[in-house]
Structure formats: structure tokens, C-alpha cells
């Protein structure tokens, strides 16, 4: 084929594919336009998962008929005074959103300029423009997007269920509400009001309203500046971690972003405070001069690029670590003492601690009740040996024929429960246990929508639940294998898992995620004292269970030290 120029309609639909991925993308672009217009109240109506209707109304400065006609032309914008793409002070600036939306939907824009006598309306259907005409509107702008993707029906096949698309769009509004507490926001569907926040709130009050009081009670504020870069926000405590990163909210100059550099900085700040597979809850605001950040590096403006990424990363890590450090226990020096007790294994080592020094170094002195009352004689050559003691109410010390094994009882039992649930499901389906009194778990409306959409998936995993009003779910049955587990904690972690799983995640993998979450909550907890027969039963089950060497989060469940290695530590030949 020879090279040819594409038609204007085809060009517009290609551009729309970059900007408008799903209904939530439409909501994002229109709400950003409302904020740029100085709106103090933004209302979003959402119908049919965004496919039948998306309506965004605001009380901003509005537009006259001439601006209306230009607004739907590609690359026409009021947000760039010249051709400078460095000093960008608005959320939008490309002039692509409205033409892109109009090329794949039936778009209607009604607007009345502030102080104007009359409103006007303009329509675009599949890229075809109807000239402005008088309309009835008291103030601001009202945009209706109907029959989204009617001009590109193939795109409809890639959308998720209506509930999922609704939850994604509501999450967009929630994030915008966090970034702009000066404005009020509402998000309404056919059935309920998922977001409703008043204007004029403080930043802390808005965070409390959106994320809930539990977050604020388990988070510490941080605030630090260097040069003209300022970072602030609230960092969740490591003990209040999440199963996924869905509760990390990041903003740069009022813009919602999902940036790799910022995510990496958060991971670095929590690197030695949180186990793998867990994610902190956090709200992060980065403010800097427009010249320090390039917002024109992503089609949907979801990512940014900092001129000095090292400065921003270091500032975030320092601010969060300093805030968390105020909540952490002081360093006991145990690590340094323990290393010093191993000096005999080093060349020219001459340190020989006394008994009291060794006990102080390891902090392993045990009360008599923690030891078995009688000597255990191995009855067979078990790979994991026979239990001799439990230390710190969490670790099982087991003697093998040629060394000893130290077992993390929680991590080990977590894997056993998980494998048991998988085996039950593969064999005959997971046995469920009806709750005598169904448990009510409170969630926010968006989370209720998300977990209700996955009700069939959860039923396959042995968890039977249903919506209970706008902000709670009712759990009726749980897998028999998990017994008296923390049902509320399980539900909240599953909600986080579902928020992170995309369409590429297969059903089997999603079910396994749910089973792993339930296993984690039902396993033997740290701090529980075990009898010798219970410890040995755990060891025997570990020997018979596949993958028992690591827990569901990838951490080891036990470590083994051979007798030869022990003798080396004490300088024996």
C-alpha cells in the first residue's frame, strides 16, 4: 500500500483511543475541566456503567457561544497563553478531551458564562458538530455524554461489567476530591450516591471523610520541603498495611498520578518496616514549581517526569521515615549484640561471652513452662525433627538427627491452610459453614460495589455474602476450614485484592488470591502458646504438604542449621 492521509474522523477516533480508555477516563477529563474552570461544586451522574449517560455539572466560569464552538475543536484550549509547555498551571492543556469524547459518543455541552444573560448549547455526534443555540441553564457548565463508544462498537467489548466501571469512575471522583478539598463533589448512579463531600473542607477533614477514621487513627502526618519542592501528607503505620497498593493516593501539583518514581520512593521509605506482599496506606501531596515537572509525557497525563527525580525521591523517603520514626520503638541494639556473640567464628576472634551475656544477646531465656515436661525421644527419622520448645510464643525449636530447625508457626500454618483450601476446592468444592449470626462488615460504597460484583467468585471460594445497604456487606457463610477467623479483616483485604486485579488476571489466579487471604487470617497467630503435641502435629503436616517451605507471601516458614554449622560457630573442629 502507498502512504495516504487518514480522514479526519479516523484521526479523531485514533486520538480518542489514547485519551478515552473507558468511562472513568471521560469522568476524569470532564472533572479536571470543571476544576480548571474554578468550580466549587462538581456533580457527576453515571448511568449504565457510563455507557448510556455520563453527566458532569459545575458552577465554574462557563463559556459563551464562540468558546463553545472552539472547545470541541482539536487542540483548542484556554489554558496556554502561548506555546510554552513548561509552565503548565492547569490540569488540562492539550485541548484533546472534548473532541475525543465527541468523536466516539453523543456529546452535548450547555454553558453560561459568569455574569452572562443567556446560556448556549452545542452538540457533537460521532464527530459531527451542531452549531451553538440558546439553552436554559442558570450557571456554569453541564456536559452530557450519551451512548459512549457507539461510533466504535468494538471498544464496548473491552469494557468490564457495569458495576466495575461504576466503581472505577467513582474512585476517580474520590481521588479528585482528595486533591481539591476546597470544592464539593458528588457522584450519583441509578441506585445510590457513592460520593458526596461538601466544599470548603480542610485537607485533613477531607482525607478523614474519604478514607475513613480508621486510616487517620493509624497514620502519621509528614511535611518536609527542600529547595522549591514540598511534600506532605499522611503515612499509614506499617502495622496497618494492605494486601494491595489501592490505598496509595499520590498527587503532583493537584494532579492525580500513578507514577513509578513516587511508588518506588514509597517502597523505599517502608523497605525495612513491612514484609513483602504488603503495601502501606498513604496520601502524598507533592508541590513544586511547574518547571520542575513535565506533565506532558503520558497520553492520559497519568504519569509525570521530574527534572530532578533524585531530589524528589530522597525528600519523600526522608519525610516518611522521619514521621514513622516518631512511632517506632527505640533501637535495642540486639542486632549488634548478636553479631558480637558470633565473633569466635571470625579469624583471630578471642571474644568468649559468659552465660548472662549470651542470654542478653539472644533474648532467648525461657520460663520452665515453655519447655516440654518430659524428654522427647524421636520415634522416626522425621525431616523436621521433634519439637523441643517454643520461644517468644511464635517460633518452634525442633531437634533433627543432625541439627535443629526453627519454624515460624504463623507462616507455616498459613501455607497449610491455603493448601488445604486449594485441595478441597479441586476435589469436591470448599465445604462451607453457615454463620449462626451473619456478620455485617462496614465498607465505603465504592468497596461495596466492587465486592458485590465479585459475589459469584467469592462463593466459589466458600465465602457467601450480599450487599447490606449502601455501606456494608452481610457475610452468611465462610469456609469450614477457616473456623473462627477475622471475617471483617478477610473482607477488607479481599476488597483490596479485587481493586488491583485487572482483566488480565485469570479466574483461577483470582480465586487463589482469595483463598490465600483467608488462609492468612485463619492461621495460628504469633503469641499463641502451643503444647508439644500441637507443635509436633504442625511439623508432621508441614512434611506432608507441598510448598510448605514458604508462606503465601514468599517468606520462609523455617530455617535449618546443621550440627556442623553449629560447631563452626563455637570454634569446634
Amino acid at each position: 500500500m502507498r502512504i495516504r492521509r487518514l480522514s479526519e474522523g479516523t484521526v479523531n477516533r485514533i486520538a480518542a483511543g489514547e485519551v478515552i480508555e473507558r468511562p472513568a477516563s471521560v469522568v476524569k477529563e470532564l472533572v479536571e475541566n470543571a476544576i480548571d474552570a474554578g468550580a466549587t461544586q462538581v456533580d457527576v451522574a453515571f448511568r449504565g456503567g457510563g455507557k448510556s449517560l455520563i453527566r458532569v455539572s459545575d458552577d465554574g466560569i462557563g463559556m459563551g457561544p464562540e468558546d463553545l464552538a472552539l472547545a470541541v475543536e482539536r487542540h483548542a484550549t484556554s489554558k496556554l497563553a502561548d506555546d510554552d509547555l513548561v509552565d503548565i498551571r492547569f490540569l488540562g492543556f492539550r485541548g484533546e478531551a472534548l473532541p475525543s469524547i465527541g468523536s466516539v459518543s453523543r456529546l452535548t455541552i450547555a454553558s453560561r458564562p459568569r455574569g452572562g444573560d443567556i446560556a448556549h448549547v452545542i452538540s457533537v455526534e460521532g464527530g459531527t458538530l451542531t452549531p451553538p443555540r440558546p439553552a436554559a441553564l442558570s450557571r456554569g457548565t453541564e456536559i452530557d455524554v450519551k451512548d459512549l463508544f457507539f461510533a466504535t462498537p468494538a471498544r464496548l467489548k473491552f469494557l468490564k461489567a457495569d458495576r466495575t466501571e461504576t466503581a472505577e469512575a467513582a474512585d476517580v471522583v474520590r481521588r479528585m476530591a482528595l486533591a481539591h478539598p476546597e470544592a464539593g463533589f458528588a457522584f450519583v448512579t441509578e441506585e445510590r450516591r457513592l460520593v458526596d463531600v461538601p466544599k470548603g473542607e480542610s485537607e485533613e477533614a477531607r482525607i478523614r471523610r474519604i478514607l475513613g477514621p480508621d486510616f487517620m487513627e493509624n497514620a502519621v502526618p509528614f511535611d518536609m520541603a527542600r529547595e522549591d519542592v514540598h511534600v506532605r501528607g499522611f503515612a499509614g503505620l506499617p502495622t496497618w498495611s494492605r494486601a494491595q497498593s489501592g490505598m496509595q493516593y499520590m498527587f503532583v501539583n493537584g494532579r492525580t498520578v500513578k507514577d513509578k518514581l513516587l511508588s518506588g520512593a514509597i517502597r523505599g521509605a517502608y523497605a525495612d518496616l513491612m514484609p513483602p506482599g504488603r503495601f502501606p496506606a498513604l496520601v502524598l501531596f507533592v508541590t513544586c514549581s511547574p518547571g520542575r515537572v513535565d506533565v506532558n509525557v503520558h497520553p492520559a497525563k497519568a504519569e509525570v517526569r521530574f527534572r530532578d527525580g533524585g531530589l524528589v525521591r530522597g525528600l519523600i523517603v526522608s519525610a516518611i521515615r522521619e514521621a514513622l520514626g516518631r512511632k517506632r520503638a527505640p533501637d535495642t541494639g540486639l542486632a549488634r549484640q548478636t553479631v558480637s556473640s558470633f565473633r569466635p567464628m571470625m579469624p583471630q576472634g578471642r571474644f568468649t561471652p559468659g552465660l548472662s551475656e549470651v542470654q542478653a544477646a539472644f533474648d532467648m531465656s525461657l520460663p520452665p513452662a515453655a519447655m516440654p515436661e518430659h524428654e522427647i525421644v524421636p520415634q522416626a527419622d522425621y525431616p523436621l525433627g521433634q519439637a523441643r520448645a517454643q520461644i517468644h510464643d511464635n517460633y518452634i525449636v525442633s531437634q533433627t538427627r543432625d541439627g535443629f530447625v526453627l519454624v515460624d508457626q504463623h507462616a507455616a500454618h498459613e501455607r497449610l491452610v491455603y493448601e488445604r483450601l486449594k485441595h478441597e476446592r479441586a476435589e469436591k468444592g470448599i465445604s462451607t459453614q453457615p454463620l449462626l449470626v451473619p456478620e455485617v462488615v462496614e465498607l465505603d460504597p465504592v468497596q461495596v460495589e466492587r465486592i458485590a460484583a465479585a459475589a459469584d467468585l467469592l462463593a466459589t471460594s466458600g465465602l457467601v455474602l450480599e450487599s447490606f445497604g449502601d455501606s456494608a456487606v452481610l457475610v452468611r457463610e465462610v469456609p469450614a476450614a477457616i473456623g473462627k477467623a477475622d471475617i471483617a479483616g478477610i473482607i477488607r483485604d479481599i476488597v483490596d485484592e479485587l481493586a488491583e486485579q485487572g482483566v488480565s488476571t485469570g479466574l483461577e489466579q483470582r480465586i487463589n488470591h482469595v483463598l490465600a487471604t483467608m488462609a492468612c487470617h485463619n492461621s495460628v497467630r504469633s503469641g499463641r502458646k502451643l503444647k508439644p503435641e500441637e507443635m509436633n502435629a504442625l511439623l508432621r503436616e508441614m512434611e506432608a504438604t507441598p510448598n510448605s517451605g514458604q508462606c503465601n507471601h514468599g517468606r520462609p516458614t523455617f530455617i535449618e542449621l546443621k550440627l556442623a554449622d553449629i560447631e563452626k560457630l563455637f570454634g569446634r573442629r
Side-chain angles (χ1 to χ4, degrees), residues 30 65 89 110 113 134 140 162 171 205 215 231 237 242 261 264 307 318 355 381 436-438 447 479 538 566:
L30 298 184
R89 300 179 181 272
D162 287 357
D171 188 60
F215 171 77
V231 300
L237 298 176
R242 314 294 288 181
L261 184 141
R307 191 178 70 193
S318 299
L355 178 60
D381 190 10
L436 185 62
V437 178
Q447 291 175 324
L538 182 65
I566 299 173

PDB file of all heavy atoms in Angstrom, residues 30 65 89 110 113 134 140 162 171 205 215 231 237 242 261 264 307 318 355 381 436-438 447 479 538 566:
ATOM      1  N   LEU A  30     -13.493  15.396  32.252  1.00  0.00           N
ATOM      2  CA  LEU A  30     -14.520  16.412  32.449  1.00  0.00           C
ATOM      3  C   LEU A  30     -14.428  17.039  33.834  1.00  0.00           C
ATOM      4  O   LEU A  30     -14.645  18.251  33.985  1.00  0.00           O
ATOM      5  CB  LEU A  30     -15.903  15.799  32.226  1.00  0.00           C
ATOM      6  CG  LEU A  30     -16.176  15.256  30.813  1.00  0.00           C
ATOM      7  CD1 LEU A  30     -17.613  14.774  30.696  1.00  0.00           C
ATOM      8  CD2 LEU A  30     -15.876  16.318  29.756  1.00  0.00           C
ATOM      9  N   PRO A  65     -20.948  31.410  23.374  1.00  0.00           N
ATOM     10  CA  PRO A  65     -21.120  30.602  22.160  1.00  0.00           C
ATOM     11  C   PRO A  65     -19.851  30.468  21.327  1.00  0.00           C
ATOM     12  O   PRO A  65     -19.609  29.422  20.726  1.00  0.00           O
ATOM     13  CB  PRO A  65     -22.231  31.344  21.394  1.00  0.00           C
ATOM     14  CG  PRO A  65     -22.254  32.726  21.973  1.00  0.00           C
ATOM     15  CD  PRO A  65     -21.836  32.583  23.392  1.00  0.00           C
ATOM     16  N   ARG A  89       0.019  25.316  34.485  1.00  0.00           N
ATOM     17  CA  ARG A  89      -0.585  25.526  35.801  1.00  0.00           C
ATOM     18  C   ARG A  89      -2.018  25.016  35.882  1.00  0.00           C
ATOM     19  O   ARG A  89      -2.728  25.303  36.849  1.00  0.00           O
ATOM     20  CB  ARG A  89      -0.535  27.014  36.163  1.00  0.00           C
ATOM     21  CG  ARG A  89       0.890  27.549  36.220  1.00  0.00           C
ATOM     22  CD  ARG A  89       0.945  29.019  36.541  1.00  0.00           C
ATOM     23  NE  ARG A  89       2.337  29.494  36.563  1.00  0.00           N
ATOM     24  CZ  ARG A  89       3.119  29.463  37.635  1.00  0.00           C
ATOM     25  NH1 ARG A  89       2.639  28.991  38.780  1.00  0.00           N
ATOM     26  NH2 ARG A  89       4.359  29.898  37.572  1.00  0.00           N
ATOM     27  N   ALA A 110     -23.766  22.378  27.471  1.00  0.00           N
ATOM     28  CA  ALA A 110     -24.517  23.607  27.744  1.00  0.00           C
ATOM     29  C   ALA A 110     -23.714  24.439  28.729  1.00  0.00           C
ATOM     30  O   ALA A 110     -23.194  23.909  29.717  1.00  0.00           O
ATOM     31  CB  ALA A 110     -25.895  23.285  28.311  1.00  0.00           C
ATOM     32  N   PRO A 113     -21.743  31.773  30.670  1.00  0.00           N
ATOM     33  CA  PRO A 113     -20.604  32.469  31.261  1.00  0.00           C
ATOM     34  C   PRO A 113     -21.023  33.243  32.503  1.00  0.00           C
ATOM     35  O   PRO A 113     -22.158  33.727  32.595  1.00  0.00           O
ATOM     36  CB  PRO A 113     -20.138  33.403  30.143  1.00  0.00           C
ATOM     37  CG  PRO A 113     -21.336  33.591  29.269  1.00  0.00           C
ATOM     38  CD  PRO A 113     -22.110  32.313  29.351  1.00  0.00           C
ATOM     39  N   PRO A 134     -29.404  28.846  21.775  1.00  0.00           N
ATOM     40  CA  PRO A 134     -29.774  29.217  23.147  1.00  0.00           C
ATOM     41  C   PRO A 134     -30.288  28.023  23.944  1.00  0.00           C
ATOM     42  O   PRO A 134     -30.868  27.084  23.392  1.00  0.00           O
ATOM     43  CB  PRO A 134     -30.874  30.269  22.945  1.00  0.00           C
ATOM     44  CG  PRO A 134     -30.624  30.809  21.579  1.00  0.00           C
ATOM     45  CD  PRO A 134     -30.104  29.657  20.773  1.00  0.00           C
ATOM     46  N   GLY A 140     -22.698  28.107  35.168  1.00  0.00           N
ATOM     47  CA  GLY A 140     -21.689  27.075  34.958  1.00  0.00           C
ATOM     48  C   GLY A 140     -21.853  26.304  33.662  1.00  0.00           C
ATOM     49  O   GLY A 140     -22.333  26.821  32.654  1.00  0.00           O
ATOM     50  N   ASP A 162     -20.874  -3.386  34.409  1.00  0.00           N
ATOM     51  CA  ASP A 162     -21.313  -2.037  34.773  1.00  0.00           C
ATOM     52  C   ASP A 162     -20.882  -1.654  36.181  1.00  0.00           C
ATOM     53  O   ASP A 162     -20.459  -0.522  36.427  1.00  0.00           O
ATOM     54  CB  ASP A 162     -22.840  -1.940  34.660  1.00  0.00           C
ATOM     55  CG  ASP A 162     -23.310  -1.909  33.203  1.00  0.00           C
ATOM     56  OD1 ASP A 162     -22.448  -1.908  32.303  1.00  0.00           O
ATOM     57  OD2 ASP A 162     -24.539  -1.890  32.981  1.00  0.00           O
ATOM     58  N   ASP A 171     -14.061   6.035  41.924  1.00  0.00           N
ATOM     59  CA  ASP A 171     -12.724   6.182  42.502  1.00  0.00           C
ATOM     60  C   ASP A 171     -12.005   7.395  41.931  1.00  0.00           C
ATOM     61  O   ASP A 171     -11.254   8.072  42.635  1.00  0.00           O
ATOM     62  CB  ASP A 171     -11.907   4.910  42.245  1.00  0.00           C
ATOM     63  CG  ASP A 171     -10.582   4.913  42.988  1.00  0.00           C
ATOM     64  OD1 ASP A 171     -10.602   4.983  44.230  1.00  0.00           O
ATOM     65  OD2 ASP A 171      -9.524   4.876  42.320  1.00  0.00           O
ATOM     66  N   ALA A 205      -9.666  17.073  57.089  1.00  0.00           N
ATOM     67  CA  ALA A 205     -11.076  16.673  57.181  1.00  0.00           C
ATOM     68  C   ALA A 205     -11.507  15.920  55.931  1.00  0.00           C
ATOM     69  O   ALA A 205     -12.271  14.943  56.005  1.00  0.00           O
ATOM     70  CB  ALA A 205     -11.954  17.905  57.391  1.00  0.00           C
ATOM     71  N   PHE A 215      -8.241   5.069  59.001  1.00  0.00           N
ATOM     72  CA  PHE A 215      -6.976   5.470  58.388  1.00  0.00           C
ATOM     73  C   PHE A 215      -6.299   6.554  59.215  1.00  0.00           C
ATOM     74  O   PHE A 215      -5.087   6.477  59.501  1.00  0.00           O
ATOM     75  CB  PHE A 215      -7.195   5.960  56.962  1.00  0.00           C
ATOM     76  CG  PHE A 215      -5.972   6.584  56.339  1.00  0.00           C
ATOM     77  CD1 PHE A 215      -4.940   5.802  55.862  1.00  0.00           C
ATOM     78  CD2 PHE A 215      -5.845   7.966  56.263  1.00  0.00           C
ATOM     79  CE1 PHE A 215      -3.802   6.364  55.316  1.00  0.00           C
ATOM     80  CE2 PHE A 215      -4.709   8.548  55.709  1.00  0.00           C
ATOM     81  CZ  PHE A 215      -3.683   7.747  55.244  1.00  0.00           C
ATOM     82  N   VAL A 231       6.779  18.232  50.070  1.00  0.00           N
ATOM     83  CA  VAL A 231       5.996  17.001  50.170  1.00  0.00           C
ATOM     84  C   VAL A 231       5.302  16.989  51.527  1.00  0.00           C
ATOM     85  O   VAL A 231       5.879  17.389  52.539  1.00  0.00           O
ATOM     86  CB  VAL A 231       6.872  15.733  49.998  1.00  0.00           C
ATOM     87  CG1 VAL A 231       7.554  15.735  48.651  1.00  0.00           C
ATOM     88  CG2 VAL A 231       7.886  15.590  51.110  1.00  0.00           C
ATOM     89  N   LEU A 237       0.676   3.533  59.283  1.00  0.00           N
ATOM     90  CA  LEU A 237       1.641   2.766  60.066  1.00  0.00           C
ATOM     91  C   LEU A 237       1.884   1.407  59.420  1.00  0.00           C
ATOM     92  O   LEU A 237       0.972   0.831  58.809  1.00  0.00           O
ATOM     93  CB  LEU A 237       1.125   2.575  61.491  1.00  0.00           C
ATOM     94  CG  LEU A 237       0.916   3.854  62.309  1.00  0.00           C
ATOM     95  CD1 LEU A 237       0.311   3.506  63.661  1.00  0.00           C
ATOM     96  CD2 LEU A 237       2.223   4.606  62.473  1.00  0.00           C
ATOM     97  N   ARG A 242      -1.817  -3.034  53.825  1.00  0.00           N
ATOM     98  CA  ARG A 242      -2.892  -3.523  52.980  1.00  0.00           C
ATOM     99  C   ARG A 242      -2.380  -4.647  52.094  1.00  0.00           C
ATOM    100  O   ARG A 242      -1.184  -4.806  51.863  1.00  0.00           O
ATOM    101  CB  ARG A 242      -3.454  -2.396  52.107  1.00  0.00           C
ATOM    102  CG  ARG A 242      -3.712  -1.105  52.837  1.00  0.00           C
ATOM    103  CD  ARG A 242      -4.804  -1.228  53.872  1.00  0.00           C
ATOM    104  NE  ARG A 242      -6.113  -1.353  53.261  1.00  0.00           N
ATOM    105  CZ  ARG A 242      -7.251  -1.461  53.944  1.00  0.00           C
ATOM    106  NH1 ARG A 242      -7.217  -1.472  55.263  1.00  0.00           N
ATOM    107  NH2 ARG A 242      -8.408  -1.563  53.308  1.00  0.00           N
ATOM    108  N   LEU A 261       8.232   6.610  39.893  1.00  0.00           N
ATOM    109  CA  LEU A 261       9.220   7.184  40.795  1.00  0.00           C
ATOM    110  C   LEU A 261       8.624   7.372  42.188  1.00  0.00           C
ATOM    111  O   LEU A 261       9.261   7.053  43.205  1.00  0.00           O
ATOM    112  CB  LEU A 261       9.717   8.526  40.262  1.00  0.00           C
ATOM    113  CG  LEU A 261      10.834   9.201  41.076  1.00  0.00           C
ATOM    114  CD1 LEU A 261      11.851   9.853  40.154  1.00  0.00           C
ATOM    115  CD2 LEU A 261      10.275  10.254  42.039  1.00  0.00           C
ATOM    116  N   GLY A 264       8.147   3.983  43.829  1.00  0.00           N
ATOM    117  CA  GLY A 264       9.435   3.471  44.285  1.00  0.00           C
ATOM    118  C   GLY A 264       9.912   4.165  45.546  1.00  0.00           C
ATOM    119  O   GLY A 264      10.504   3.534  46.432  1.00  0.00           O
ATOM    120  N   ARG A 307      12.299  16.876  36.850  1.00  0.00           N
ATOM    121  CA  ARG A 307      13.600  17.301  36.339  1.00  0.00           C
ATOM    122  C   ARG A 307      14.722  16.765  37.215  1.00  0.00           C
ATOM    123  O   ARG A 307      15.783  16.407  36.730  1.00  0.00           O
ATOM    124  CB  ARG A 307      13.660  18.839  36.295  1.00  0.00           C
ATOM    125  CG  ARG A 307      14.850  19.397  35.543  1.00  0.00           C
ATOM    126  CD  ARG A 307      14.795  20.908  35.517  1.00  0.00           C
ATOM    127  NE  ARG A 307      15.037  21.477  36.843  1.00  0.00           N
ATOM    128  CZ  ARG A 307      14.803  22.745  37.162  1.00  0.00           C
ATOM    129  NH1 ARG A 307      14.283  23.563  36.260  1.00  0.00           N
ATOM    130  NH2 ARG A 307      15.060  23.191  38.372  1.00  0.00           N
ATOM    131  N   SER A 318      12.787  10.565  53.130  1.00  0.00           N
ATOM    132  CA  SER A 318      13.175  11.183  54.400  1.00  0.00           C
ATOM    133  C   SER A 318      11.953  11.624  55.198  1.00  0.00           C
ATOM    134  O   SER A 318      11.888  11.422  56.422  1.00  0.00           O
ATOM    135  CB  SER A 318      14.085  12.387  54.138  1.00  0.00           C
ATOM    136  OG  SER A 318      15.273  11.994  53.481  1.00  0.00           O
ATOM    137  N   LEU A 355      27.604 -16.661  80.305  1.00  0.00           N
ATOM    138  CA  LEU A 355      26.225 -17.097  80.129  1.00  0.00           C
ATOM    139  C   LEU A 355      25.257 -15.926  80.118  1.00  0.00           C
ATOM    140  O   LEU A 355      24.365 -15.841  79.265  1.00  0.00           O
ATOM    141  CB  LEU A 355      25.844 -18.071  81.247  1.00  0.00           C
ATOM    142  CG  LEU A 355      24.395 -18.583  81.234  1.00  0.00           C
ATOM    143  CD1 LEU A 355      24.118 -19.313  79.928  1.00  0.00           C
ATOM    144  CD2 LEU A 355      24.136 -19.484  82.434  1.00  0.00           C
ATOM    145  N   ASP A 381      12.768 -40.987  61.835  1.00  0.00           N
ATOM    146  CA  ASP A 381      13.697 -40.009  61.300  1.00  0.00           C
ATOM    147  C   ASP A 381      12.903 -38.943  60.550  1.00  0.00           C
ATOM    148  O   ASP A 381      12.909 -38.876  59.324  1.00  0.00           O
ATOM    149  CB  ASP A 381      14.702 -40.696  60.376  1.00  0.00           C
ATOM    150  CG  ASP A 381      15.831 -39.751  59.997  1.00  0.00           C
ATOM    151  OD1 ASP A 381      15.929 -38.656  60.598  1.00  0.00           O
ATOM    152  OD2 ASP A 381      16.587 -40.102  59.083  1.00  0.00           O
ATOM    153  N   LEU A 436     -24.127 -18.645  62.467  1.00  0.00           N
ATOM    154  CA  LEU A 436     -25.344 -18.590  63.267  1.00  0.00           C
ATOM    155  C   LEU A 436     -25.923 -17.178  63.263  1.00  0.00           C
ATOM    156  O   LEU A 436     -27.135 -16.984  63.132  1.00  0.00           O
ATOM    157  CB  LEU A 436     -25.039 -19.027  64.712  1.00  0.00           C
ATOM    158  CG  LEU A 436     -26.243 -19.132  65.653  1.00  0.00           C
ATOM    159  CD1 LEU A 436     -27.218 -20.176  65.138  1.00  0.00           C
ATOM    160  CD2 LEU A 436     -25.778 -19.475  67.065  1.00  0.00           C
ATOM    161  N   VAL A 437     -25.047 -16.198  63.386  1.00  0.00           N
ATOM    162  CA  VAL A 437     -25.443 -14.793  63.274  1.00  0.00           C
ATOM    163  C   VAL A 437     -24.609 -14.183  62.148  1.00  0.00           C
ATOM    164  O   VAL A 437     -23.394 -14.011  62.308  1.00  0.00           O
ATOM    165  CB  VAL A 437     -25.198 -14.028  64.589  1.00  0.00           C
ATOM    166  CG1 VAL A 437     -25.588 -12.560  64.415  1.00  0.00           C
ATOM    167  CG2 VAL A 437     -25.962 -14.669  65.741  1.00  0.00           C
ATOM    168  N   PRO A 438     -25.207 -13.901  60.986  1.00  0.00           N
ATOM    169  CA  PRO A 438     -24.432 -13.315  59.880  1.00  0.00           C
ATOM    170  C   PRO A 438     -23.688 -12.064  60.331  1.00  0.00           C
ATOM    171  O   PRO A 438     -24.212 -11.270  61.125  1.00  0.00           O
ATOM    172  CB  PRO A 438     -25.507 -12.994  58.835  1.00  0.00           C
ATOM    173  CG  PRO A 438     -26.621 -13.940  59.146  1.00  0.00           C
ATOM    174  CD  PRO A 438     -26.620 -14.108  60.637  1.00  0.00           C
ATOM    175  N   GLN A 447     -16.380   0.321  47.677  1.00  0.00           N
ATOM    176  CA  GLN A 447     -15.927  -1.029  48.005  1.00  0.00           C
ATOM    177  C   GLN A 447     -17.076  -2.025  47.999  1.00  0.00           C
ATOM    178  O   GLN A 447     -16.915  -3.174  47.593  1.00  0.00           O
ATOM    179  CB  GLN A 447     -15.243  -1.014  49.370  1.00  0.00           C
ATOM    180  CG  GLN A 447     -13.911  -0.269  49.398  1.00  0.00           C
ATOM    181  CD  GLN A 447     -13.332  -0.175  50.794  1.00  0.00           C
ATOM    182  OE1 GLN A 447     -14.058  -0.030  51.780  1.00  0.00           O
ATOM    183  NE2 GLN A 447     -12.009  -0.253  50.897  1.00  0.00           N
ATOM    184  N   PRO A 479     -15.799 -20.608  54.639  1.00  0.00           N
ATOM    185  CA  PRO A 479     -15.251 -21.966  54.524  1.00  0.00           C
ATOM    186  C   PRO A 479     -15.111 -22.608  55.901  1.00  0.00           C
ATOM    187  O   PRO A 479     -14.660 -21.976  56.860  1.00  0.00           O
ATOM    188  CB  PRO A 479     -13.886 -21.745  53.862  1.00  0.00           C
ATOM    189  CG  PRO A 479     -14.022 -20.448  53.134  1.00  0.00           C
ATOM    190  CD  PRO A 479     -14.935 -19.617  53.981  1.00  0.00           C
ATOM    191  N   LEU A 538       1.972 -29.866  63.849  1.00  0.00           N
ATOM    192  CA  LEU A 538       2.256 -28.869  62.810  1.00  0.00           C
ATOM    193  C   LEU A 538       3.454 -29.297  61.963  1.00  0.00           C
ATOM    194  O   LEU A 538       3.435 -29.187  60.727  1.00  0.00           O
ATOM    195  CB  LEU A 538       2.517 -27.516  63.470  1.00  0.00           C
ATOM    196  CG  LEU A 538       2.797 -26.337  62.528  1.00  0.00           C
ATOM    197  CD1 LEU A 538       1.569 -26.032  61.688  1.00  0.00           C
ATOM    198  CD2 LEU A 538       3.203 -25.104  63.319  1.00  0.00           C
ATOM    199  N   ILE A 566      26.725 -25.462  63.473  1.00  0.00           N
ATOM    200  CA  ILE A 566      26.706 -25.033  64.869  1.00  0.00           C
ATOM    201  C   ILE A 566      28.095 -25.146  65.477  1.00  0.00           C
ATOM    202  O   ILE A 566      28.563 -24.250  66.204  1.00  0.00           O
ATOM    203  CB  ILE A 566      25.687 -25.868  65.671  1.00  0.00           C
ATOM    204  CG1 ILE A 566      24.270 -25.666  65.094  1.00  0.00           C
ATOM    205  CG2 ILE A 566      25.701 -25.494  67.148  1.00  0.00           C
ATOM    206  CD1 ILE A 566      23.231 -26.578  65.702  1.00  0.00           C
TER     207      ILE A 566
END
